[in-house]
Amino acid sequence: MKKKLSIIFVSIILILTCCFGLVACNNTNQTTIKFAVPDGAPAIAVTNIVKDGLTLDKNQKLQLDITNPKNVIDSIKAKKIDMAILPTNVATMLYTASVTKNDNDPYVMLATATYGNLYILGNSTSATFEQMIGKIMYAIGKGAIPGKVLEKVLTYNNIPFVEITKEEEKDSTKLNIMYVNDGPAVIQKMNSSKDEVFGMLADPAVTLQKKQGKKLCYDMQKEYQIATKSEVLGYPQAVLIARKSFIASNKTLVEQVVAKMQENIVFINNPENQTAGLETILQNNTFGTSSALKKIPAPSVKGCNIVVKTSNDAKNDILALLSNLSLKPVADDFFYDLVK
């Protein structure tokens, strides 16, 4: 009897060991889909993915990190992620750098995420560009799309401007642009100044600052359209990219991401969802690091100008943007055709 019990006990142990071994093997074989987006408007562009995730194969799981642009760029350079949202000029530069080095697996464009969300605010008054001459404007995006858009618009309007690094360098005959690291730095500079100063920053922060008394001077999307005589409002400021090899082996999944981003536009503009708090969804991201956005006021959703066009549909807009801002052109292969 004891011998039979021993045999049964050993058999149970073996069965359990095999079961746990299989589970361990399955976990080991699980593939992580790595997706990274900068906080702010790009994160709002994937709100419904943060909320619901993606439909994946049983051996796949999603890691979606909302982080700062530098982390996203570093991860792309190291090829640690599969998909990302990046400023358009950064995405095109990274692509060109990759193919120049004969990289056969560059990150290519799938769709746009935003079409510009930049605005100029005054501390206490709404002013024209002419009235800003002799004053300081704090701005984001030196050498990048925001800075280039600002300088394009000022040049079109015949506004003399100069870049300064210290307030004491202010030129009374020109609009003085002082570039800072990010939106919070613009706000800090504006709040601490005793003079009438101006700031160029992005929504959703713009809407929050307007609620606190700052005055809207210019919608830079409209000003860019006027300056470039474009038929399109705004400009493709951020794009969705993915590794070429990842797309080839996960085309259905990539198509799903683009479709979800298009559906997200309806979701984030739904008044009920806005009232419930889009920031709550992004703050409670269960797929990776969460957003630091404390509040997304309903008007800021429109101000973020979330526009999702496929690479085919946005190609001409992007080529025009690069040309208008004197940025390096990009090869046609950057625009991945999901239809073919």
Side-chain angles (χ1 to χ4, degrees), residues 124-141:
S124 58
T125 59
S126 178
T128 64
F129 285 130
E130 288 81 2
Q131 293 169 330
M132 294 179 194
I133 292 174
K135 297 181 171 63
I136 295 176
M137 180 189 296
Y138 299 101
I140 58 172

Side-chain angles (χ1 to χ4, degrees), residues 96-338:
T96 301
S98 291
V99 296
T100 300
K101 295 176 182 177
N102 297 317
D103 182 357
N104 294 321
D105 192 21
Y107 287 82
V108 293
M109 177 190 160
L110 296 168
T112 60
T114 69
Y115 257 65
N117 58 331
L118 299 170
Y119 303 86
I120 293 177
L121 299 178
N123 244 357
S124 58
T125 59
S126 178
T128 64
F129 285 130
E130 288 81 2
Q131 293 169 330
M132 294 179 194
I133 292 174
K135 297 181 171 63
I136 295 176
M137 180 189 296
Y138 299 101
I140 58 172
K142 177 182 177 179
I145 288 177
K148 293 283 189 180
V149 166
L150 174 60
E151 292 169 12
K152 178 75 176 180
V153 168
L154 292 176
T155 300
Y156 174 79
N157 285 281
N158 296 313
I159 303 299
F161 63 90
V162 63
E163 181 186 339
I164 62 174
T165 57
K166 298 178 182 179
E167 282 82 356
E168 304 84 64
E169 299 171 354
K170 185 171 67 173
D171 186 332
S172 62
T173 65
K174 297 177 181 179
L175 195 167
N176 300 270
I177 302 172
M178 188 168 175
Y179 287 107
V180 294
N181 289 335
D182 51 28
V186 172
I187 295 167
Q188 188 275 325
K189 286 284 191 180
M190 292 181 74
N191 289 343
S192 63
S193 177
K194 295 179 181 179
D195 300 324
E196 179 57 32
V197 296
F198 304 90
M200 186 183 76
L201 65 164
D203 238 340
V206 168
T207 300
L208 290 169
Q209 291 304 305
K210 285 164 62 179
K211 285 179 175 288
Q212 294 179 17
K214 292 183 174 59
K215 305 299 181 182
L216 178 65
C217 299
Y218 287 100
D219 176 337
M220 294 303 284
Q221 290 60 242
K222 292 180 180 177
E223 296 306 313
Y224 173 86
Q225 183 180 23
I226 294 169
T228 60
K229 298 177 175 57
S230 172
E231 295 180 0
V232 180
L233 175 65
Y235 39 88
Q237 187 170 341
V239 294
L240 170 69
I241 61 174
R243 279 189 302 111
K244 198 171 181 179
S245 63
F246 177 79
I247 300 171
S249 56
N250 296 274
K251 189 176 180 182
T252 301
L253 172 58
V254 169
E255 290 172 339
Q256 181 190 165
V257 172
V258 175
K260 290 275 284 185
M261 287 178 64
Q262 291 170 331
E263 294 165 7
N264 180 65
I265 295 173
V266 176
F267 179 83
I268 61 177
N269 283 286
N270 183 310
E272 291 183 7
N273 295 333
Q274 293 175 350
T275 301
L278 300 176
E279 68 275 4
T280 302
I281 296 172
L282 299 177
Q283 289 167 2
N284 295 281
N285 177 20
T286 59
F287 299 103
T289 54
S290 297
S291 170
L293 292 175
K294 294 180 179 179
K295 187 66 179 174
I296 304 174
S300 73
V301 174
K302 182 178 180 181
C304 285
N305 207 13
I306 308 296
V307 177
V308 182
K309 294 183 181 181
T310 64
S311 57
N312 282 348
D313 291 337
K315 179 179 177 179
N316 288 338
D317 292 346
I318 288 175
L319 294 177
L321 175 72
L322 298 175
S323 175
N324 288 331
L325 301 185
S326 301
L327 295 167
K328 289 184 179 180
V330 67
D332 283 349
D333 286 344
F334 170 71
F335 304 96
Y336 193 91
D337 185 0
L338 280 172

Side-chain angles (χ1 to χ4, degrees), residues 3-17:
K3 187 176 181 180
K4 288 184 177 180
L5 288 173
S6 297
I7 293 171
I8 292 171
F9 179 75
V10 171
S11 298
I12 291 171
I13 294 297
L14 287 170
I15 291 169
L16 289 173
T17 300

